[in-house]
């Protein structure tokens, strides 16, 4: 049997796996690894949501297949959330689809709208599914800068002029994973105007809508822009907002024609999440929302602990305004070796795991992503380890075995 499968060949080796392997080996050898690598929330889901799940499980008809696009109560809860939070009015029947996490929604939207060879403009670095969702669907990626400013709009303009065939869509993600960049409503206005001018689809990943640290400056939705509904679909998630990553509940909202295409694909693939999960997810969205503020406070304190303790350890970087990540330049003496090799050394010599920037695209290779997924005490411990590591940087660099020789 051939193992040369067309789709699999289009997927590069998963670089995070290489750091994971070194992490597992170090743990097996007894090391206490402080894992700031994966963006996997360590907080608990809100109690009232878990109670609702328990209360609903076992009720008549809840064990059956559910609705692929989500039960009505859940879609209405999401429409109400958009109304309250962004002032955006959504029709829950045609402008909201519940997904099995936002990642599934995004990947299946890519399947739904991509013909072989279609060009899609994706920021680099970006969350992997933003590019690979389209690659798996047979599309072609053209990278654009990730920082949401006028330069990005200019780069998008150039890409449209120089791409043959003309691109079909642009992906955005603000607050961003991995860079923590945030976008203003003015940027979205420019982007929507640009998309309309060139007849492009906009796909906005808003998974970090509620993870921000300035209470006076919550991240906007792209759909707040007048007319955005004509061209855009936006993805949100309960994974980070309610620390429910394992529950697999997210949403796609926005343009009806695009959502109908997604619903069509999904109707062949899934029967919706377990109904009690959907009922509990609706309870999460319907409030109370103190749990969201508490979540933010936990991440804000961790962010402050990270920036403060790492700075004192000799590794300075700006504090992220949103998301659960810091996107951090590799310290000078180690930058040249690249982010994968640096991340491996950090596990081996400092017992700290981070995500190598190269895993998010080639323009990420001078950076690592540090996730706020351990408590403040562990973050400060990581900083102490890093301090010792940096103090012996000369010696470490001298002893480093080149990547090529490591296999
Ligand atoms: C930008 C971004 N989008 C989507 C996801 C996945 O979210 P979900 O759990 O809703 O699939 C993540 C998870 O880390 C993410 O960082």
């Amino acid at each position: 049997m051939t193992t040369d499968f067309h789709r699999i060949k289009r997927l590069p080796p998963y670089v995070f796996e290489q750091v994971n392997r070194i992490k597992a080996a170090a743990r097996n050898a007894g090391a206490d690894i402080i894992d700031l690598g994966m963006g996997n929330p360590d907080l608990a889901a809100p109690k009232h949501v878990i109670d609702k799940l328990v209360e609903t499980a076992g009720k008549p008809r809840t064990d059956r297949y559910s609705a692929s696009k989500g039960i009505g109560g859940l879609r209405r809860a999401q429409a109400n959330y958009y109304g309250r939070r962004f002032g955006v009015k959504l029709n829950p029947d045609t402008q909201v689809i519940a997904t099995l996490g936002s990642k599934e929604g995004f990947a299946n939207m890519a399947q739904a709208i991509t013909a072989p060879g279609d060009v899609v403009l994706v920021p680099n670095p970006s969350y992997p599914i933003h590019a690979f969702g389209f690659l798996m669907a047979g599309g072609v990626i053209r990278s654009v800068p990730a920082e949401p400013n006028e330069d990005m709009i200019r780069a998008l303009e150039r890409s449209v002029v120089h791409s043959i065939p003309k691109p079909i869509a642009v992906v955005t993600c603000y607050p961003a994973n991995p860079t923590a960049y945030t976008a203003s409503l003015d940027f979205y206005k420019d982007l929507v105007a640009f998309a309309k001018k060139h007849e492009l689809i906009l796909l906005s990943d808003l998974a970090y809508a509620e993870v921000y640290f300035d209470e006076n400056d919550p991240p906007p939705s792209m759909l707040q822009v007048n007319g955005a509904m004509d061209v855009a679909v936006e993805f949100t998630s309960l994974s980070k907002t309610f620390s429910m990553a394992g529950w697999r509940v997210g949403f796609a909202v926005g343009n009806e024609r695009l959502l109908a295409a997604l619903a069509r694909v999904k109707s062949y693939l899934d029967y919706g999440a377990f109904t009690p999960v959907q009922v509990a997810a609706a309870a999460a969205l319907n409030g109370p929302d103190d749990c969201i503020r508490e979540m933010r406070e936990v991440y804000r304190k961790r962010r402050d602990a990270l920036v403060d303790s790492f700075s004192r350890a000799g590794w300075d970087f700006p504090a992220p305004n949103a998301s659960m990540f810091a996107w951090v330049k590799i310290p000078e003496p180690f930058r040249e070796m690249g982010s994968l090799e640096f991340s491996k050394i950090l596990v081996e010599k400092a017992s700290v795991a981070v995500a190598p920037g190269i895993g998010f695209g080639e323009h990420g290779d001078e950076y690592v992503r540090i996730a706020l997924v351990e408590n403040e005490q562990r973050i400060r411990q990581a900083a102490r380890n890093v301090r010792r590591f940096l103090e012996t940087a000369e010696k470490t660099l001298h002893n480093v075995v080149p990547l090529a020789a490591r296999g």
Side-chain angles (χ1 to χ4, degrees):
M1 184 181 77
T2 176
T3 50
D4 226 6
F5 303 119
H6 170 73
R7 282 217 165 68
I8 304 303
K9 268 196 311 192
R10 292 170 71 94
L11 299 175
Y14 197 54
V15 297
F16 302 121
E17 194 46 45
Q18 299 190 40
V19 180
N20 286 344
R21 247 186 277 133
I22 295 211
K23 202 165 68 186
R27 278 190 171 136
N28 282 342
D32 174 22
I33 304 294
I34 302 170
D35 194 351
L36 307 174
M38 264 189 84
N40 198 351
D42 62 317
L43 311 180
K47 182 170 180 310
H48 71 278
V49 179
I50 297 173
D51 288 346
K52 183 55 98 180
L53 172 75
V54 172
E55 179 194 316
T56 314
K59 281 199 172 163
R61 297 199 306 279
T62 57
D63 294 320
R64 306 169 76 183
Y65 292 127
S66 195
S68 169
K69 67 178 209 174
I71 58 174
L74 179 57
R75 284 183 280 110
R76 280 193 296 279
Q78 172 71 346
N80 289 337
Y81 162 73
Y82 256 75
R84 268 192 332 266
R85 168 70 166 82
F86 302 114
V88 171
K89 197 168 163 353
L90 295 172
N91 178 339
D93 291 327
T94 55
Q95 294 176 325
V96 179
I97 290 183
T99 59
L100 307 175
S102 60
K103 193 178 184 182
E104 178 271 321
F106 189 92
N108 279 325
M109 179 61 88
Q111 288 294 333
I113 66 175
T114 311
D118 274 352
V119 176
V120 178
L121 306 179
V122 182
N124 188 328
S126 71
Y127 182 56
I129 198 69
H130 295 161
F132 294 115
F134 284 99
L135 277 177
M136 282 191 274
V140 174
I141 301 308
R142 192 171 173 126
S143 292
V144 292
E147 195 169 354
N149 54 25
E150 286 170 8
D151 288 345
M152 181 177 176
I153 302 276
R154 274 195 289 273
L156 288 168
E157 289 275 4
R158 277 196 303 276
S159 296
V160 169
V161 173
H162 294 292
S163 293
I164 298 183
K166 192 176 133 280
I168 61 158
V170 181
V171 177
T172 65
C173 174
Y174 304 109
N177 176 10
T179 58
Y181 291 142
T182 53
S184 66
L185 198 53
D186 280 341
F187 172 77
Y188 284 145
K189 281 183 189 155
D190 291 347
L191 194 65
V192 168
F194 161 79
K196 289 196 155 190
K197 179 170 142 200
H198 296 290
E199 298 183 331
L200 296 168
I201 295 164
L202 294 176
L203 299 180
S204 160
D205 183 341
L206 191 54
Y208 295 96
E210 302 303 337
V211 191
Y212 59 89
F213 306 121
D214 180 350
E215 289 291 330
N216 298 318
D217 193 17
S221 155
M222 186 184 282
L223 296 176
Q224 286 172 245
V225 178
N226 268 341
M229 204 73 83
D230 300 337
V231 289
V233 165
E234 191 156 77
F235 298 86
T236 58
S237 173
L238 301 202
S239 295
K240 313 294 152 82
T241 304
F242 297 99
S243 307
M244 290 166 60
W247 294 51
R248 312 310 301 131
V249 184
F251 297 91
V253 306
N255 181 270
E256 293 182 9
R257 215 162 62 82
L258 290 166
L259 288 188
L262 173 62
R264 185 84 189 277
V265 167
K266 279 176 66 61
S267 72
Y268 282 88
L269 295 176
D270 71 69
Y271 290 109
F274 182 42
T275 298
V277 164
Q278 296 192 51
V279 172
L285 285 167
N286 288 335
D289 57 10
D290 344 344
C291 53
I292 304 180
R293 273 189 296 278
E294 285 162 19
M295 169 278 295
R296 268 203 289 277
E297 192 54 15
V298 169
Y299 287 128
R300 193 186 58 72
K301 285 188 178 151
R302 290 180 181 181
R303 175 204 64 169
D304 292 347
L306 177 78
V307 173
D308 170 63
S309 62
F310 273 55
S311 163
R312 282 191 282 113
W315 194 358
D316 267 312
F317 46 86
N321 294 326
S323 86
M324 51 194 282
F325 307 109
W327 181 242
V328 178
K329 242 193 171 150
I330 297 171
E332 236 292 288
F334 296 93
R335 208 168 290 158
E336 203 180 300
M337 69 175 57
S339 59
L340 179 57
E341 190 66 1
F342 175 70
S343 301
K344 289 179 179 176
I345 290 177
L346 208 59
V347 173
E348 285 172 349
K349 308 280 185 206
S351 297
V352 173
V354 296
I358 188 75
F360 305 96
E362 66 193 81
H363 294 290
D365 205 20
E366 291 194 342
Y367 292 80
V368 292
R369 189 196 71 180
I370 304 181
L372 303 170
V373 291
E374 295 245 27
N375 66 33
E376 287 167 65
Q377 197 192 336
R378 297 276 290 166
I379 287 171
R380 290 187 189 282
Q381 180 61 50
R384 284 193 287 277
N385 295 2
V386 162
R387 175 198 285 272
R388 275 193 296 277
F389 167 74
L390 291 178
E391 280 166 359
T392 55
E394 281 281 305
K395 202 163 119 226
T396 306
L397 277 168
H398 186 70
N399 293 333
V400 166
V401 182
L403 188 58
R406 296 179 140 216

